[in-house]
Amino acid sequence: AGAGWSPDGRWLLVWDAVTNGSPAQRHISLDDAHGNVIRTFQGELPVELQPVWLDTRSFVVARDGKNYLGTIDSPVLTLISPPFPDDLTSSGHGALAYQTKGNLDASARFVVWTPSGGTTPARAGVPVAWSRDGTRLAVWHWATGTSGPGAAGWMEALSWPGFRSLGAIRESLSWISALFDPSGRYLYA
């Protein structure tokens, strides 16, 4: 039903399940790049339809409204607090950004979570994309309206860690998406 490669392309998490299946029917398998199943996590679901990799060796899965941190080295999953929403943006270098509320207006806030530092204080905006090296985060800021026709806002690039503003595209944008170029120097919004 979904799959996701680790940032280094060495591991693949595969969600083998029907969405409404029983816990016995749901599982995520960890495969190597040659297609060999390394281990299976029974009763697990990805946080999103695509499994979320935290970095090249660890990932996040969900079960019964709770999130768990897994690694390629261990069959044991560790409970993560607080639970994450479905819309996570991973740096691929140990940080997850997500909205604290599903607001689609100027009151939207986000945080960044790391295993070692926990959750940062909430900041204005919606996390959109990380640079490939995980040192920059693109954040959408609502200016007018809510999601849909007539909505407008602007995009900002922040440093990570530290959240120092690196620049912004302050033209009236109406689409919440952005990509960094492979060098992480340029942002397309």
Side-chain angles (χ1 to χ4, degrees):
W5 285 101
S6 62
D8 63 0
R10 293 184 60 202
W11 310 100
L12 179 67
L13 284 176
V14 179
W15 177 24
D16 302 316
V18 274
T19 303
N20 297 318
S22 70
Q25 295 172 307
R26 295 188 309 246
H27 67 275
I28 292 177
S29 64
L30 172 66
D31 300 358
D32 65 18
H34 303 289
N36 302 310
V37 176
I38 304 303
R39 74 179 44 86
T40 300
F41 300 94
Q42 203 66 29
E44 307 299 335
L45 292 172
V47 176
E48 300 176 329
L49 290 181
Q50 299 297 322
V52 176
W53 283 91
L54 182 59
D55 55 36
T56 59
R57 302 189 67 80
S58 57
F59 51 89
V60 176
V61 295
R63 177 182 19 174
D64 300 326
K66 298 176 184 170
N67 298 121
Y68 296 86
L69 182 63
T71 70
I72 62 167
D73 302 316
S74 173
V76 178
L77 300 173
T78 305
L79 181 65
I80 300 171
S81 183
F84 300 132
D86 287 341
D87 194 17
L88 296 174
T89 303
S90 175
S91 71
H93 296 275
L96 298 174
Y98 60 92
Q99 271 189 270
T100 57
K101 300 176 189 171
N103 296 354
L104 299 177
D105 58 29
S107 68
R109 299 287 182 265
F110 78 96
V111 296
V112 175
W113 177 88
T114 63
S116 59
T119 304
T120 64
R123 299 184 58 89
V126 177
V128 178
W130 289 91
S131 61
R132 184 178 288 176
D133 65 1
T135 63
R136 293 170 182 86
L137 176 63
V139 176
W140 169 264
H141 296 275
W142 291 98
T144 61
T146 59
S147 180
W154 54 280
M155 196 70 66
E156 180 179 27
L158 301 172
S159 67
W160 174 256
F163 295 121
R164 183 173 53 88
S165 181
L166 301 171
I169 301 170
R170 294 193 182 267
E171 297 173 17
S172 181
L173 305 172
S174 61
W175 185 254
I176 306 174
S177 71
L179 294 171
F180 283 93
D181 78 312
S183 74
R185 184 172 176 201
Y186 299 102
L187 177 66
Y188 172 78

